[in-house]
Amino acid sequence: MLKPSIFREYDIRGIADEDLLDDDVVLLGKSLATHLIRHSGRNICLGRDCRLSSPRIHAALSKGLLSAGANILDIGVVPTPVLYYAAVHFKSDGAVMITGSHHPPEYNGLKTVCGPATLHGHEIQQILKLIQDKDFEEGPGTVKELDAVTPYVDEIAAQFNFERKVKVVFDSGNGTAGPVLHRLIKKLNIEAAELFRDMDGGFPNHPPDPAVPENLKHLQDAVKKDKADLGLAFDGDADRIGALNEHGHAVFGDMLLLIFGREILSRKPGSTLIGDVKCSQIVYDKLREWGGNPVMYKTGHSLIKTKMKQVNAELAGEMSGHLFFADRYYGYDDALYTACRLLEILSKSGQPLSAQLADLPRRFSTPELRLACPDDQKFAVVAKTAALVAKDYSIVDIDGVRVPFEEGCWGLVRASNTQPVLVMRFEATSQALLTKYRAYLEGIVEKAMAPATS
Ligand SMILES: [Zn+2]
């Protein structure tokens, strides 16, 4: 029987050989097809990543989709953004990606597109309900195999014409980015070295998550050895990017958002740009100073994409490395396209990556800090934290608790939607203030986590 816990906020995900057995996946295929047919239509693009469990899940999912009458457009093993691209290019009614994204090799899951939006929240719960009610469409269904990579590579390459060569090292981490990136590189005027291009679902060189600094060690060494202008890494399904400057220091998603935002505002003043609650305050202050309309929003790729359409944003970015361009592109998170946009900015400026951020005020910040907290308690702990902090400060409660302490200093506590953890982050104008505010907020969280005493 399917565990309700695999139906998550942004996707369906679990341990492949425990939570996603063949019979379960057939049911998921039937329910996803039923939902898509009733809300959008029966032409469904289907892609999969290079995980060891993906061929098995692909076979079972296809069986379920077909039995509900879906017309499958099968685009094979691809990065998630190529699946998003295929849904636009082939004008399909929906799309399903079999991927464990940046999670360890034993995981797998499904990301689903219905019409123009990505399924999330209550819609994912509706998929579970269809299975519980055995409420499925029936029909013969068809399968057609299509090449989405060729039009994808051609269309992206056609956008970029680099006059000055940038020197870059890529780390595809044995994920699905490698082969597609290799074809893209050949069409671009850049000097590129490629690490771990071959796909291997065992991820033998490092885990496929560029948001974790240890996973960027190979790239860091290569950037320094090659004297490259920057290094770029991709997660397992290439919807997240990780960046290193020429010194090998990590440049997180919020700073990339700032670099891209400045370029867009130089052409389109007044644009709306979205960042998630984990982003530096500098992002919001500078984007406003440069004539933009910055909006702070919740973390989560499905939520951000929906918000972008609502407020007509040109660009959005998450601290975790999801960047979404509506400017010149289709608005979904595509780390390969993001890489091209960054190379374009460096090529035009003739300066390495660190120079793009050189004029910003100095800030002291922590990375994302994770504190274990059970799934059934994490939201209550955050609510209690909010109530306690509100006695001392006015809070921002878009997603968790963000506390603006004083000019340039803030702290965040939010419940992760993907793991049994609380995520915290701090930024301040000095190391002393960083330590002070971190100790304050951590003290409050500790109080909120303590069992109630009567
Ligand atoms: Zn991913």
Side-chain angles (χ1 to χ4, degrees), residues 101-102 111 235 237 239:
S101 192
H102 55 281
K111 288 180 183 168
D235 82 327
D237 65 334
D239 57 358

Side-chain angles (χ1 to χ4, degrees), residues 80-81 99-103 111 208 234-240 301 322 333:
T80 295
T99 181
S101 192
H102 55 281
H103 298 284
K111 288 180 183 168
F234 306 95
D235 82 327
D237 65 334
D239 57 358
R240 264 187 185 194
H301 66 95
H322 289 271
D333 38 345

